[in-house]
């Protein structure tokens, strides 16, 4: 119906029954031009809106009574084994360093906590560097097996993140719960030290082997988005490639982040990959570029695409606005303080 400027009108919409929905359902509205104008063609979208109809309801799996899980030690690692999987947890560094299913490896570089990222033009990089945030290393204080049963094994770590010979910026406790169906639930609880700058990001990152080029995720997309920059995206199920996540800024920098992600799959052309799930949602990024390479390059043509796939599963990434061209970044878009989040990793041989 026609609506005059500065006027409103109620438009009834009959919605279908959604029933049970594993990921969630939304009502998406798109407002487009009815006729071609001097500045855009007919059908050009001028506005959109999204409304949540139903939150996701993850399906509970039936327990396979025949599956068990075992724990042993080998070459300085805990070896966690099940029916068709074998995982390795480094006892010295306190990191998950290998995930194999049907003898296929899914982790090339270990999953580690961190705050690093390739700084954007808007970031307070001079302040972060002065605070030695770019020199932060993870120090493992304690590793212990806190649960050992036929169906589940839990390993806990206590770690700090600090520059060399400096007081910790973050103290973190992480629990890894391995279950007989091959899933690994990771629960992170961290505290930032008082009187320290807000963080560039906080979360866990790891690298997957060559060939893991494809991805599917449920969250905000399809374009990159951040906590203070996501009015241009909507929540949905998206598919694409890791290469497509790169944004060719003149000066290489942080890119490809997605907020509110409750499910992500990264996989190869044979459909073998790793699934990440989180009931509370995480920030997710997959790229062929390490942050160090992005930081040292001054122009896009200087970058060399890596064959590995670098994955971040974050509690949060700080917003992009800053005092580089305005006021300080609003506190609600800063990362720090008390930080808790959880997610699950699960390898698959056929896409789920």
């Amino acid at each position: 119906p026609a609506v005059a400027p500065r006027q409103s009108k109620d438009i009834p919409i009959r919605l279908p029954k959604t029933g049970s929905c594993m990921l969630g359902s939304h009502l998406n509205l798109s407002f487009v031009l009815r006729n071609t104008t001097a500045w855009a063609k007919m059908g050009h979208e001028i506005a959109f809106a999204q409304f949540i109809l139903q939150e996701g309801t993850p399906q509970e799996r039936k327990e396979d009574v025949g599956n068990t899980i075992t724990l042993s030690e080998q070459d300085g690692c805990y070896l966690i084994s099940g029916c068709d999987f074998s995982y390795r947890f480094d006892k010295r560094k306190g990191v998950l360093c290998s995930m194999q299913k049907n003898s296929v490896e899914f982790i090339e570089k270990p999953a580690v906590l961190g705050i690093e990222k390739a700084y954007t033009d808007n970031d307070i990089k001079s302040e972060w560097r002065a605070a030695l945030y770019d020199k932060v290393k993870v120090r493992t204080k304690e590793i212990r097996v806190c649960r050992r049963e036929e169906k589940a094994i839990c390993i806990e770590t206590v770690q700090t993140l600090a520059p060399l010979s400096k007081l910790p910026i973050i103290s973190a406790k992480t629990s890894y719960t391995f279950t007989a169906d091959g899933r690994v639930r990771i629960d992170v609880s961290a505290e930032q030290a008082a009187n320290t700058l807000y963080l560039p990001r906080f979360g866990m990152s790891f690298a997957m082997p060559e060939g893991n080029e494809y991805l599917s995720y449920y969250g905000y997309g399809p374009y990159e988005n951040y906590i203070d920059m996501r009015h241009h995206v909507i929540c949905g199920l998206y598919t694409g490639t890791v290469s497509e996540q790169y944004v060719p800024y003149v000066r290489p920098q942080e890119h490809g982040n997605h907020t509110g992600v409750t499910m992500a799959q990264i996989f190869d052309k044979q459909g073998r990959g790793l699934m990440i799930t989180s009931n509370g949602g995480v920030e997710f990024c997959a790229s062929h570029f390490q942050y160090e390479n992005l930081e040292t390059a001054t122009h896009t043509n200087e970058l060399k695409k890596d064959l590995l796939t670098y994955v971040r599963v974050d509690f949060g990434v700080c917003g992009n606005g800053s005092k580089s061209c305005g006021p300080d970044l609003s506190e609600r878009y800063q990362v720090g303080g008390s930080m808790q989040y959880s997610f699950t990793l699960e390898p698959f041989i056929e896409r789920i």
Side-chain angles (χ1 to χ4, degrees):
V3 183
R6 298 187 179 182
Q7 301 297 314
S8 63
K9 182 172 288 188
D10 292 333
I11 303 173
I13 299 176
R14 180 173 295 178
L15 300 175
K17 293 182 178 180
T18 57
S20 177
C21 187
M22 185 172 69
L23 295 175
S25 60
H26 297 78
L27 171 64
N28 296 332
L29 301 180
S30 179
F31 303 89
V32 301
L33 290 178
R34 177 179 291 180
N35 301 306
T36 296
T37 69
W39 54 274
K41 293 183 179 181
M42 178 180 64
H44 176 77
E45 185 178 63
I46 56 175
F48 66 83
Q50 183 176 66
F51 302 91
I52 298 176
L53 298 180
Q54 183 179 344
E55 298 285 357
T57 53
Q59 297 178 349
E60 293 187 5
R61 300 186 186 182
K62 294 182 179 179
E63 182 179 343
D64 186 344
V65 295
N67 283 348
T68 59
I69 190 170
T70 61
L71 178 69
S72 58
E73 296 185 32
Q74 185 182 80
D75 300 327
C77 291
Y78 286 119
L79 184 63
I80 302 101
S81 302
C83 175
D84 58 357
F85 65 87
S86 177
Y87 305 153
R88 298 176 72 89
F89 191 91
D90 192 308
K91 290 180 59 180
R92 183 174 65 88
K93 297 180 178 180
V95 295
L96 181 62
C97 56
S98 172
M99 295 185 75
Q100 291 188 7
K101 184 179 178 70
N102 288 6
S103 299
V104 178
E105 180 63 69
F106 293 98
I107 291 187
E108 185 73 19
K109 294 184 178 181
V112 296
L113 291 175
I115 65 171
E116 71 285 344
K117 71 166 189 170
Y119 299 144
T120 70
D121 292 333
N122 275 3
D123 281 332
I124 56 169
K125 51 189 174 184
S126 59
E127 287 95 328
W128 283 333
R129 285 172 177 161
L132 302 180
Y133 277 17
D134 57 332
K135 307 297 184 184
V136 164
K137 302 294 182 183
V138 178
R139 302 173 186 172
T140 301
K141 301 295 184 180
E142 181 183 353
I143 302 173
R144 70 186 186 96
V145 178
C146 58
R147 181 181 173 191
R148 186 170 183 172
E149 303 170 355
E150 284 191 347
K151 298 295 182 182
I153 292 167
C154 182
I155 299 174
E156 284 188 352
T157 66
V158 176
Q159 297 172 316
T160 59
L161 281 71
L164 185 64
S165 301
K166 298 293 183 180
L167 292 174
I169 296 171
I170 297 171
S171 299
K173 180 179 179 181
T174 308
S175 67
Y176 300 79
T177 304
F178 303 84
T179 52
D181 58 6
R183 287 182 288 179
V184 184
R185 178 184 168 95
I186 300 175
D187 295 275
V188 181
S189 179
E191 291 288 338
Q192 182 186 12
N195 302 317
T196 54
L197 283 171
Y198 68 86
L199 308 173
R201 57 170 278 269
F202 176 70
M204 192 166 284
S205 62
F206 56 90
M208 295 181 66
E210 176 184 352
N212 288 281
E213 167 64 7
Y214 306 95
L215 62 82
S216 174
Y217 64 92
Y218 186 83
Y220 283 91
Y223 312 110
E224 67 169 3
N225 55 93
Y226 295 83
I227 190 63
D228 65 343
M229 190 188 79
R230 63 179 193 180
H231 288 306
H232 63 298
V233 292
I234 60 175
C235 187
L237 180 62
Y238 299 98
T239 59
T241 66
V242 174
S243 296
E244 290 170 346
Q245 304 305 301
Y246 178 66
V247 182
Y249 293 109
V250 174
R251 185 183 70 79
Q253 54 195 279
E254 162 74 21
H255 64 270
N257 191 66
H258 296 279
T259 60
V261 174
T262 57
M263 186 282 298
Q265 296 178 345
I266 308 100
F267 52 96
D268 62 17
K269 62 182 179 181
Q270 295 174 269
R272 306 173 303 183
L274 197 62
M275 182 163 69
I276 303 161
T277 55
S278 173
N279 291 339
V282 296
E283 297 200 31
F284 164 76
C285 178
S287 174
H288 286 304
F289 302 100
Q290 291 192 80
Y291 85 94
E292 296 97 335
N293 295 337
L294 294 164
E295 271 291 283
T296 55
T298 57
H299 293 86
T300 295
N301 64 297
E302 298 173 7
L303 286 176
K304 290 185 178 180
K305 182 179 177 181
D306 202 317
L307 295 177
L308 302 182
T309 296
Y310 298 94
V311 180
R312 287 193 336 221
V313 186
D314 290 336
F315 165 80
V317 180
C318 77
N320 280 334
S322 80
K323 61 183 178 182
S324 67
C325 56
D328 289 342
L329 181 66
S330 172
E331 286 189 12
R332 60 178 174 165
Y333 300 135
Q334 296 177 11
V335 175
S338 179
M339 300 170 286
Q340 293 86 32
Y341 80 119
S342 303
F343 62 94
T344 298
L345 299 178
E346 180 180 9
F348 56 87
I349 298 302
E350 294 182 0
R351 283 197 65 200
I352 302 171

